[in-house]
Amino acid sequence: MKSKLFESLQRCGRAFMLPIAILPVAGLLLGIGSSFTNATTLEAYRLTGVIYEGGVLYTILSIM
């Protein structure tokens, strides 16, 4: 009885570990995407010719 309860709690704990482990990576991608779609950053690093509104890279970075 005790081992079955412990096994079910372990499965539940493992299910919660994956989303928690992904959160830092998601935060980094969100920060990178928002910084490279900011007009001031694009002008500062002279990326307006490469990353422009309506372009493929701009769309991918906004989705990130």
Side-chain angles (χ1 to χ4, degrees), residues 1-57:
M1 177 75 180
K2 187 176 180 181
S3 66
K4 287 186 181 186
L5 176 66
F6 186 68
E7 287 176 17
S8 64
L9 287 174
Q10 272 189 328
R11 270 189 271 135
C12 183
R14 275 188 244 136
F16 285 117
M17 275 195 248
L18 181 64
I20 292 171
I22 292 175
L23 281 174
V25 176
L28 287 172
L29 291 175
L30 182 65
I32 291 169
S34 65
S35 69
F36 279 112
T37 54
N38 186 359
T40 308
T41 305
L42 292 175
E43 290 174 9
Y45 292 110
R46 297 184 183 114
L47 295 172
T48 53
V50 179
I51 303 173
Y52 52 91
E53 192 169 348
V56 176
L57 282 176

Side-chain angles (χ1 to χ4, degrees), residues 53-64:
E53 192 169 348
V56 176
L57 282 176
Y58 187 86
T59 307
I60 291 171
L61 289 171
S62 338
I63 291 171
M64 280 182 21

